[in-house]
Amino acid sequence: MENRTIVTGHKNPDTDSICCALTYAYIKNQLGENAVACRAGKVSAETQYVLDAFKMEAPKLVEKVEAGQKIILVDHNEAAQAVDGLEAATITEIIDHHRLGGLSTAAPLYMRVEPLGCCSTLICKLARENGVTLPPAYAGLLFSAISSDTLYFKSPTTTETDRKLALELAETAGIKDPKAYALDMLQHGSAINSSTLDEICHGDMKEFDFPQGKVTVAQVNVMDGEKAREKWPALKKALQAMVDRKEADTALLMVTDIMAEVTELLWAGKNGDVLEKAFGKAEADGHFHMPKVLSRKKQIVPPLTDAFKG
Ligand code: MN
Ligand code: MN
């Protein structure tokens, strides 16, 4: 067992999960607590771009924790999204910006959840509250994560706090043109050209257990939605393959065009009627055309949850 407290984000880690883990572990260590940053899965192309930009190493891979392992969850609070073995681990803290998802713990814990656009914004606040000065590289990680989660402030989840702290972090990090850096990062992160179809359909995937079955929601950001359209038939097949393998009863993929600010929601499996209840009438080919939808957390998960609850 790891003697130090593990700090980790969710499975299928995004840039926020990785940057929160690295920076929060740094803060804990500065405060004299023994913590180590971990990750619950593969580093994405976008995150690798960020790590390279600030010459940082990826956190240690931990897919399963042993009973009694002390663990801090960042950027998630649902068991289905967490490392395996969590039920027998000791959660000492939860730092997050998502809805609460029904986790229960054996002992009291420190919990900090705020409705911000990015968990890294909250990590920045915690650094300041605790009097920890972040070195430029960590500031760069947090700025990158905020740019990623908010799609450089375009997502409706973005708050004034996200924007303000992000730009201050960019300055600390010595980033001369924050917008150019952020768009470059998002472009590098787009899995649409660099990943396999199956990887795209699992990109940043979240799982939800509803009485009608397991629903997975993945998301891929693209800079050119028209070009991405050519891949739709193949992506739909890959989603169907996930259903056939019983990975999900309903497999969703948000193809989000950041520039045009529109999501095309592709899906396979059952519960089409529930999806129409959540998102309105589907297009003739079955997919959902969703202008102004960029955020899974704010614009997809709430109507989805409502519809599945009936
Ligand atoms: Mn995340
Ligand atoms: Mn996040």
Side-chain angles (χ1 to χ4, degrees):
M1 181 161 53
E2 173 61 66
N3 287 323
R4 296 168 290 182
T5 303
I6 283 177
V7 184
T8 182
H10 50 77
K11 282 181 181 168
N12 297 298
D14 54 6
T15 297
D16 192 25
S17 267
I18 300 286
C19 295
C20 281
L22 285 168
T23 310
Y24 201 54
Y26 173 82
I27 293 169
K28 286 276 149 193
N29 289 329
Q30 290 303 109
L31 295 171
E33 292 172 50
N34 230 346
V36 59
C38 293
R39 61 186 162 96
K42 214 176 127 199
V43 172
S44 73
E46 181 190 274
T47 306
Q48 193 57 55
Y49 176 87
V50 173
L51 294 171
D52 292 345
F54 299 100
K55 301 191 171 53
M56 299 288 280
E57 294 289 324
K60 186 175 138 187
L61 177 66
V62 174
E63 284 171 309
K64 188 176 188 334
V65 291
E66 288 173 48
Q69 173 67 53
K70 283 192 188 160
I71 186 165
I72 295 174
L73 307 185
V74 292
D75 194 36
H76 70 304
N77 71 73
E78 300 196 35
Q81 298 163 8
V83 285
D84 294 337
L86 184 75
E87 58 291 338
T90 303
I91 304 172
T92 61
E93 297 187 28
I94 294 175
I95 314 291
D96 194 18
H97 69 129
H98 293 91
R99 65 163 197 172
L100 294 182
L103 203 67
S104 62
T105 60
L109 73 162
Y110 179 82
M111 185 152 165
R112 184 79 176 261
V113 180
E114 293 190 22
L116 293 162
C118 182
C119 194
S120 286
T121 306
L122 186 47
I123 300 291
C124 175
K125 287 178 77 172
L126 288 166
R128 292 181 181 192
E129 287 171 20
N130 286 285
V132 174
T133 305
L134 294 174
Y138 287 98
L141 295 182
L142 296 185
F143 168 74
S144 303
I146 300 169
S147 301
S148 166
D149 261 18
T150 68
L151 302 173
Y152 200 65
F153 316 134
K154 273 192 180 179
S155 166
T157 55
T158 313
T159 68
E160 254 326 288
T161 309
D162 292 300
R163 185 191 296 268
K164 182 172 171 287
L165 294 187
L167 294 175
E168 289 173 19
L169 287 161
E171 201 173 327
T172 306
I175 301 169
K176 292 202 175 54
D177 186 342
K179 186 175 183 185
Y181 167 83
L183 294 184
D184 212 35
M185 174 197 75
L186 291 167
Q187 181 118 43
H188 273 84
S190 179
I192 196 82
N193 296 316
S194 60
S195 301
T196 66
L197 296 165
D198 197 49
E199 281 167 351
I200 295 169
C201 290
H202 288 81
D204 194 27
M205 190 179 86
K206 299 280 166 75
E207 294 182 15
F208 301 93
D209 288 313
F210 295 115
Q212 299 92 325
K214 188 200 269 186
V215 179
T216 59
V217 191
Q219 184 171 24
V220 61
N221 293 325
V222 302
M223 312 295 266
D224 184 349
E226 279 311 308
K227 195 147 171 283
R229 199 171 279 262
E230 294 165 13
K231 293 213 168 172
W232 286 11
L235 287 169
K236 285 182 197 167
K237 267 191 198 155
L239 289 168
Q240 185 58 49
M242 287 172 67
V243 174
D244 294 343
R245 289 196 302 266
K246 306 217 183 309
E247 279 180 49
D249 297 293
T250 311
L252 307 181
L253 173 66
M254 298 171 67
V255 181
T256 301
D257 183 334
I258 302 169
M259 291 301 144
E261 301 190 39
V262 58
T263 287
E264 309 289 357
L265 185 70
L266 312 182
W267 67 281
K270 57 179 197 174
N271 295 314
D273 52 331
V274 189
L275 295 182
E276 287 209 324
K277 212 166 93 194
F279 306 127
K281 205 169 155 33
E283 302 296 308
D285 71 345
H287 92 281
F288 293 88
H289 174 70
M290 310 174 103
K292 294 282 162 206
V293 169
L294 295 171
S295 165
R296 172 174 52 195
K297 186 171 56 177
K298 200 157 188 163
Q299 296 168 300
I300 297 288
V301 173
L304 194 67
T305 307
D306 284 350
F308 271 96
K309 277 181 182 159

